[in-house]
Amino acid sequence: MSQESWTPDSWRSLKADQQPDWPSDGSLESALKTLSSVPPLVFAGEARDLTAALGRVADGRAFLLQAGDCAESFDAFSADSIRERLRVILQMAVVLTYSSGVPAVKVGRIAGQFAKPRSANTETIDGVELPSFRGHIVNDSSFSAEARKPDPHRLIDAYNQSASTLNLLRAFTKGGFADLDRVHKWNKEFVASSKQGQRYEKLADEIDRALQFMRATGVDPAGVPALHEVDFYTSHEALILGYEEALTRKDSLTGDYYDCSAHLVWIGERTRGLEDAHMEFTRGISNPVGCKVGPTIGTDEIVELCETLNPDRIPGRLTLISRMGADKVGDHLRPLLRAVADAGHPVVWACDPMHGNTFTSTSGRKTRHFESILDEIRGFFAAHAAEGTWPGGVHVELTGDDVTECLGGAEELLDDDLGLRYETICDPRLNARQSLELAFRVAELLSQD
Ligand code: PEP
Ligand code: CO
């Protein structure tokens, strides 16, 4: 694959896995045509700012917190749900930063995280076989032939929902909601009453006192924008390549191409073949990009992947998101860390402790255990400590709501509890209490590092 021959559509001649079986009546082409002329969701300059921020992560001066939904939903779309997800991410970031002294780069799995890779093309229930649910950008999760038919108009609905989500996120993060003066208000009632909620209250009290101290010494916090606003970036898996291509624009300032559907996009574990379409598309855009890496990747392959996605070795350009599983991270990660470091590639290493630890519980629900999630994170930190590399960040699936989708945590959710509020349309997410608890545990690991 040579850099010179890249165009936004050069992926089309290659094998593209996980693409929907779109209708051939021209509706796909018409939706993509519309998308190729709509305004971009993000600007190239913002994507460059994120590369710079991730560059600081790559050299050990910051920590990446990438978090949000497994799959955003067209149905559960509301200002409240966006605010609650942002609130828990801000809480986690404050815990990480305050407890470890390391700044947190905040990236949401939000405002575009609609497409899902599936392990099977079809799903069979009671002898009826239908196409799998592939995320609301493609079809609907309910089990009927009509709902499961890929509908190209959903591409435009996904763009529109991303635009209004991002609009609200920008308002919240720059317009007062993220002000450190409001640090207590990020603690929601059902969280505040829990042990980790109370721990958070204490930390928020300390931040209040620090702000008071600043005022008393004559430093006016009002004049320090960093205390009142946060930089919050968006990301999703670049799975549906037609959609990503249609939102790719040439930056007038640099002449480079940016995928303007999000600040950062990543390649999933199932579509990272070096000669495949997703790799081809992603290598040519100038955004910061990510790639999931699971236990089957080898040391030569990971170095080649780095060469393909970041030939110029720009710090912050490439984030490798390790998702090994708690039982495998101990053996598999260290050789990969060493190979990438020996090859001189400046990557961000992030730990996705979710996707390698999913199983079906006895009650028949897809779930994850909080302890396995923590175990994988511990293994990730241990591998980095042993190799002398920087455990750059975590990548988690969460919601701000009081759901019961993952087992364990301080509230000790059991299999029987999963049915209470199991609301995800795809993978099980940490609830707000579990997310906050995770942030405290990661902060402890970071402070030891
Ligand atoms: C995901 O992040 O939702 C996902 C499908 O992950 P992976 O590609 O690592 O399986
Ligand atoms: Co998921």
Side-chain angles (χ1 to χ4, degrees):
M1 292 178 175
S2 78
Q3 186 71 39
E4 295 74 51
S5 61
W6 187 90
T7 54
D9 66 352
S10 54
W11 63 271
R12 288 185 180 271
S13 60
L14 300 168
K15 175 164 78 78
D17 286 336
Q18 299 282 345
Q19 302 307 288
D21 204 356
W22 296 113
S24 51
D25 57 2
S27 54
L28 173 65
E29 291 69 20
S30 146
L32 294 180
K33 186 157 176 271
T34 302
L35 287 174
S36 63
S37 63
V38 295
L41 293 172
V42 304
F43 304 114
E46 296 175 315
R48 284 193 285 273
D49 289 346
L50 177 56
T51 302
L54 291 171
R56 293 189 283 279
V57 178
D59 42 71
R61 290 180 289 138
F63 192 74
L64 166 65
L65 173 62
Q66 189 174 11
D69 257 311
C70 176
E72 286 176 271
S73 163
F74 284 2
D75 306 325
F77 174 46
S78 69
D80 282 358
S81 94
I82 298 165
R83 191 190 55 233
E84 293 319 311
R85 272 172 289 168
L86 177 65
R87 190 201 304 249
V88 70
I89 295 171
L90 291 176
Q91 263 191 307
M92 291 175 81
V94 146
V95 167
L96 287 166
T97 305
Y98 195 81
S99 312
S100 69
V102 182
V105 178
K106 295 164 276 294
V107 180
R109 286 177 61 116
I110 197 167
Q113 175 49 31
F114 292 108
K116 299 314 298 172
R118 303 318 303 253
S119 37
N121 283 332
T122 61
E123 182 182 358
T124 302
I125 298 181
D126 296 333
V128 181
E129 188 182 15
L130 291 175
S132 295
F133 171 55
R134 291 187 176 274
H136 278 165
I137 194 170
V138 176
N139 57 7
D140 192 67
S141 57
S142 38
F143 196 74
S144 76
E146 189 50 32
R148 292 294 173 91
K149 212 163 29 173
D151 175 2
H153 199 267
R154 286 177 171 270
L155 295 163
I156 295 174
D157 293 340
Y159 166 82
N160 286 330
Q161 182 165 324
S162 301
S164 30
T165 302
L166 188 51
N167 181 52
L168 197 60
L169 287 170
R170 290 188 195 279
F172 281 143
T173 52
K174 303 292 178 189
F177 183 78
D179 195 313
L180 261 191
D181 269 337
R182 294 175 48 98
V183 67
H184 284 282
K185 300 209 171 66
W186 301 340
N187 213 5
K188 238 186 135 176
E189 304 73 52
F190 77 88
V191 179
S193 56
S194 67
K195 216 169 74 190
Q196 50 290 3
Q198 284 159 12
R199 195 173 167 192
Y200 177 82
E201 279 300 310
K202 280 207 198 94
L203 183 148
D205 284 341
E206 287 176 33
I207 292 175
D208 275 350
R209 272 200 298 279
L211 292 172
Q212 269 165 23
F213 175 74
M214 278 175 77
R215 281 186 204 101
T217 54
V219 181
D220 180 12
V224 185
L227 298 173
H228 309 292
E229 302 179 353
V230 300
D231 290 327
F232 185 85
Y233 298 96
T234 60
S235 70
H236 62 260
E237 179 174 350
L239 187 71
I240 308 296
L241 291 172
Y243 177 83
E244 304 301 334
E245 177 196 333
L247 287 169
T248 297
R249 306 278 185 273
K250 194 173 199 164
D251 174 33
S252 54
L253 210 61
T254 59
D256 294 330
Y257 283 99
Y258 284 83
D259 180 349
C260 296
S261 69
H263 298 107
L264 177 148
V265 293
W266 74 85
I267 306 177
E269 167 71 358
R270 292 165 191 76
T271 49
R272 61 170 166 74
L274 286 170
E275 301 299 324
D276 293 356
H278 290 82
M279 196 60 69
E280 171 61 16
F281 174 76
T282 308
R283 79 180 175 93
I285 54 171
S286 295
N287 307 57
V289 299
C291 189
K292 295 288 195 88
V293 290
T296 59
I297 197 159
T299 49
D300 291 347
E301 193 182 356
I302 203 163
V303 171
E304 225 184 299
L305 189 153
C306 294
E307 296 286 344
T308 305
L309 290 176
N310 192 16
D312 298 332
R313 299 175 186 225
I314 300 164
R317 152 76 177 168
L318 177 60
T319 297
L320 295 174
I321 307 159
S322 157
R323 34 89 82 222
M324 300 290 160
D327 53 338
K328 298 203 175 74
V329 65
D331 291 337
H332 287 66
L333 190 55
R334 279 188 64 181
L336 301 173
L337 300 180
R338 194 175 315 155
V340 171
D342 287 351
H345 273 286
V347 303
V348 170
W349 276 105
C351 174
D352 166 359
M354 316 296 291
H355 290 90
N357 297 306
T358 318
F359 68 99
T360 303
S361 74
T362 21
S363 69
R365 289 181 191 273
K366 211 199 246 195
T367 189
R368 292 157 172 159
H369 204 291
F370 189 78
E371 267 316 307
S372 317
I373 291 168
L374 270 186
D375 267 351
E376 178 151 0
I377 296 178
R378 281 190 212 103
F380 175 83
F381 271 81
H384 281 280
E387 290 300 324
T389 45
W390 175 241
V394 289
H395 177 120
V396 291
E397 290 180 343
L398 56 75
T399 156
D401 301 330
D402 192 12
V403 300
T404 53
E405 297 170 7
C406 289
L407 299 167
E411 58 196 305
E412 293 178 4
L413 278 182
L414 302 172
D415 193 6
D416 284 344
D417 302 323
L418 292 183
L420 295 174
R421 287 174 305 279
Y422 192 94
E423 294 167 9
T424 183
I425 55 168
C426 195
D427 287 342
R429 305 159 297 176
L430 297 171
N431 65 32
R433 274 187 294 250
Q434 292 168 325
S435 303
L436 192 56
E437 186 175 357
L438 187 92
F440 277 114
R441 306 294 279 269
V442 172
E444 284 160 15
L445 289 166
L446 262 178
S447 327
Q448 288 161 17
D449 216 71

